[in-house]
Amino acid sequence: MSIRWPRILTPTQLSLIIRNQKNPLTALQIFKEVKDKYPNYCHNGPVYAAMVGILANSGRILEMKEVIDQMREDSCECKDSVFVTAIKTYAQAGRLDEAVTLFSTIPQFNCVNWTESFNTLLHIMVKNSKFEAAYRLFLDNSYGWEVKSRIHSLNLLMSALCQQNRSDLALHIFLEMNYQGCYPSRDSYRILMEGLCVDGRLNEAIHLLYSMFWRISQKGSGEDVAIYRILLDALCDNGQVDVALDILNKILRKGLKVHKRYHCSLDLCECQDIEATKEKINDALIRGGVPNLKSYTAMAADLYQEGKVDQANKVLHETRGRGFRPSLLTYEAKLAALSQEGRVAEAVNVIEVEMVEANCVPTVRLYNILLKGLCNAGNSVLAVQYLKKMAKQVGCVADQETYDVLVNGLCRDGRFVEASRLLDEMLIRSYRPGVDIYSMVMRGLCFMGRQYEVVMWLEEMISQGMLPQLSVWNSLVSSFCCKMTDINLYSERLKQLTNDS
């Protein structure tokens, strides 16, 4: 690809040039040689971020490390996002030790805020059950001025402890937040409330609720209903229905700040089991409060996430009945729940009918959730048709995830020719498929005997600096060998027929 070099090069122009290169190694070569063309030119933070991002996305870890070392030597001002990209790349490649080493060297760079990279590394450690390492990382790095906020990291530690059924230790962290100069967020209360209820520490959970009343619920936020539900359900599961009803009245009065005339007394005589009782209490919680879109959204999203689609649908109906337009978050949760249960027809109806009636426009994220559900249900042909609908909708452009989902779905359904065409469209739109996507398509084309197309895709991969997987070479060689065997059989049969005649 010929490059039209400007008379005076700026870092912004170089970022654009290297991003337009198909091959990451070509981009790296341009990045390295540009100083020879322009002696007065100096790289800045955004150029380094662009180069690191390109190499990270293509899995070129050694080259990425070289660029990061050069950035340290240049001592140019850089943002925390560069280290986040590198840390995630190391973790995905199974090189967590190198990610830790990189984070420990950040003081050597011209970076003044490490909050995002600190939280990213801590999250990765917790996800990989490296709890002691995460604890040491927090102790060593959470008190410096470079980490601007500790609330997210403390929430991560509490979540990790609750997953290990150690909500008692999580409660100690929560109580220490004041001394850490932190103010508990809504997520802090939610994490701890769920952990205490799962461990059966209901007395502590009730006291946590009371502290919530005078801290984050002072103005009566509707989003808090999701946290209230956790405690009410746990009390019902433990057989403490009377306590749950008493707590419900306090929630309406002190948590949601509902006027006394809206308080309701529940008749639970008709409830035959605990689930019916919980549903009745949930209805009272949502209907007894002041009508609020945030409370409806929080309640519906939680119920959909728990797989209680019918109950969530009632909340959605109540939302419309009160004159509110359901939020996109609610529809996303509903599509995800229906797709997970294999109710694809209902998921399609959400976008085709429900959202149209509600004057709500689907987003790319919503379409992607639907496409995943369709492809998982083996209906990739219908999923591809939605690609055309997205193209007709203003402001709804299919992204990398959209194409990845569709190509995967077509390959699983054995439609490798359509997947190959979609892969071509993906490249035209400047999206870069991963090695796994290429390999999946090429193995299928080999199986169908379309070796010429496989060779074309091999050339495309190599032009992008990618190395095909071994399974692709094996499939290609096998398909050629099978073809040669068929030719030999046909030749022998022709000779036999000729001799007979």
Side-chain angles (χ1 to χ4, degrees), residues 155-388:
N155 286 347
L156 278 173
L157 292 176
M158 285 200 302
S159 178
L161 289 169
C162 289
Q163 289 172 14
Q164 299 295 314
N165 296 325
R166 292 307 307 268
S167 59
D168 54 332
L169 296 179
L171 182 59
H172 282 298
I173 292 178
F174 180 86
L175 296 174
E176 283 288 323
M177 282 188 178
N178 283 334
Y179 303 103
Q180 298 286 332
C182 300
Y183 194 83
S185 65
R186 187 167 282 106
D187 286 337
S188 307
Y189 280 97
R190 184 188 179 96
I191 291 167
L192 185 56
M193 183 68 78
E194 193 167 351
L196 291 171
C197 290
V198 168
D199 291 350
R201 306 171 72 90
L202 297 181
N203 287 332
E204 288 95 330
I206 292 172
H207 286 295
L208 180 67
L209 178 76
Y210 293 155
S211 73
M212 190 174 166
F213 286 159
W214 63 268
R215 296 191 82 166
I216 68 169
S217 300
Q218 288 181 354
K219 295 182 180 179
S221 174
E223 293 175 282
D224 297 339
V225 294
I227 305 173
Y228 301 148
R229 261 195 70 244
I230 296 172
L231 176 58
L232 293 173
D233 284 357
L235 289 169
C236 291
D237 290 335
N238 199 47
Q240 301 180 32
V241 178
D242 293 336
V243 178
L245 291 176
D246 181 54
I247 294 291
L248 174 63
N249 287 325
K250 291 179 180 178
I251 287 171
L252 293 174
R253 186 172 70 255
K254 297 181 179 179
L256 298 176
K257 309 296 181 185
V258 178
H259 194 275
K260 194 171 183 179
R261 66 172 178 269
Y262 292 113
H263 292 185
C264 54
S265 57
L266 291 182
D267 183 12
L268 302 178
C269 297
E270 298 178 359
C271 298
Q272 299 178 354
D273 54 21
I274 292 296
E275 288 302 318
T277 302
K278 286 158 63 175
E279 186 175 349
K280 194 91 170 178
I281 290 176
N282 288 337
D283 288 343
L285 183 64
I286 194 68
R287 292 178 181 173
V290 176
N292 186 300
L293 181 59
K294 289 183 178 180
S295 62
Y296 290 132
T297 300
M299 179 74 84
D302 261 23
L303 290 170
Y304 281 127
Q305 192 173 2
E306 294 170 9
K308 300 176 180 179
V309 178
D310 294 335
Q311 290 186 42
N313 285 339
K314 290 181 181 179
V315 177
L316 192 60
H317 180 73
E318 180 79 13
T319 307
R320 297 194 196 99
R322 294 292 184 100
F324 295 105
R325 178 190 297 175
S327 66
L328 288 172
L329 180 63
T330 304
Y331 285 119
E332 287 176 11
K334 182 172 184 177
L335 280 175
L338 292 172
S339 298
Q340 192 169 3
E341 293 186 3
R343 297 159 66 172
V344 181
E346 294 178 54
V348 170
N349 187 69
V350 171
I351 283 186
E352 297 288 350
V353 180
E354 284 189 35
M355 295 189 70
V356 173
E357 292 176 351
N359 292 322
C360 196
V361 181
T363 60
V364 176
R365 181 179 170 84
L366 270 166
Y367 275 117
N368 287 346
I369 295 172
L370 177 61
L371 296 182
K372 284 179 186 175
L374 289 170
C375 290
N376 290 336
N379 204 343
S380 58
V381 177
L382 179 58
V384 172
Q385 293 176 10
Y386 275 96
L387 195 61
K388 300 175 183 177

Side-chain angles (χ1 to χ4, degrees), residues 305-489:
Q305 192 173 2
E306 294 170 9
K308 300 176 180 179
V309 178
D310 294 335
Q311 290 186 42
N313 285 339
K314 290 181 181 179
V315 177
L316 192 60
H317 180 73
E318 180 79 13
T319 307
R320 297 194 196 99
R322 294 292 184 100
F324 295 105
R325 178 190 297 175
S327 66
L328 288 172
L329 180 63
T330 304
Y331 285 119
E332 287 176 11
K334 182 172 184 177
L335 280 175
L338 292 172
S339 298
Q340 192 169 3
E341 293 186 3
R343 297 159 66 172
V344 181
E346 294 178 54
V348 170
N349 187 69
V350 171
I351 283 186
E352 297 288 350
V353 180
E354 284 189 35
M355 295 189 70
V356 173
E357 292 176 351
N359 292 322
C360 196
V361 181
T363 60
V364 176
R365 181 179 170 84
L366 270 166
Y367 275 117
N368 287 346
I369 295 172
L370 177 61
L371 296 182
K372 284 179 186 175
L374 289 170
C375 290
N376 290 336
N379 204 343
S380 58
V381 177
L382 179 58
V384 172
Q385 293 176 10
Y386 275 96
L387 195 61
K388 300 175 183 177
K389 291 185 178 182
M390 292 173 69
K392 294 178 182 178
Q393 183 177 316
V394 178
C396 187
V397 181
D399 58 11
Q400 174 94 30
E401 184 183 359
T402 308
Y403 284 100
D404 285 346
V405 168
L406 290 175
V407 173
N408 267 296
L410 288 169
C411 289
R412 284 202 303 267
D413 292 349
R415 297 182 173 274
F416 300 106
V417 177
E418 293 93 328
S420 180
R421 290 174 188 156
L422 204 59
L423 194 59
D424 191 41
E425 182 181 335
M426 192 175 180
L427 290 171
I428 292 171
R429 294 182 178 274
S430 300
Y431 294 122
R432 296 184 179 182
V435 175
D436 293 338
I437 295 290
Y438 276 118
S439 301
M440 195 184 307
V441 173
M442 287 191 290
R443 284 197 299 266
L445 292 173
C446 286
F447 177 75
M448 297 180 68
R450 302 174 77 100
Q451 291 86 357
Y452 177 75
E453 291 181 46
V454 177
V455 172
M456 295 291 289
W457 285 123
L458 278 172
E459 292 178 354
E460 179 64 33
M461 281 188 75
I462 293 170
S463 72
Q464 295 184 22
M466 295 183 181
L467 294 176
Q469 293 177 348
L470 180 61
S471 59
V472 174
W473 294 112
N474 291 338
S475 299
L476 186 58
V477 172
S478 299
S479 63
F480 272 119
C481 290
C482 291
K483 201 167 186 180
M484 292 301 297
T485 304
D486 292 341
I487 292 172
N488 292 334
L489 288 173

Side-chain angles (χ1 to χ4, degrees), residues 98-198:
E98 293 185 50
V100 175
T101 302
L102 174 62
F103 180 80
S104 65
T105 60
I106 293 181
Q108 302 172 19
F109 294 82
N110 188 2
C111 181
V112 297
N113 187 349
W114 314 342
T115 306
E116 192 178 353
S117 56
F118 171 68
N119 289 332
T120 300
L121 183 56
L122 191 68
H123 177 74
I124 291 170
M125 285 181 168
V126 168
K127 188 177 179 181
N128 288 277
S129 300
K130 306 282 187 181
F131 300 118
E132 291 186 9
Y135 175 67
R136 288 196 301 271
L137 179 72
F138 178 82
L139 287 182
D140 294 341
N141 299 278
S142 62
Y143 295 99
W145 55 267
E146 299 88 356
V147 177
K148 303 300 180 184
S149 173
R150 290 189 292 275
I151 186 65
H152 182 72
S153 55
L154 289 170
N155 286 347
L156 278 173
L157 292 176
M158 285 200 302
S159 178
L161 289 169
C162 289
Q163 289 172 14
Q164 299 295 314
N165 296 325
R166 292 307 307 268
S167 59
D168 54 332
L169 296 179
L171 182 59
H172 282 298
I173 292 178
F174 180 86
L175 296 174
E176 283 288 323
M177 282 188 178
N178 283 334
Y179 303 103
Q180 298 286 332
C182 300
Y183 194 83
S185 65
R186 187 167 282 106
D187 286 337
S188 307
Y189 280 97
R190 184 188 179 96
I191 291 167
L192 185 56
M193 183 68 78
E194 193 167 351
L196 291 171
C197 290
V198 168

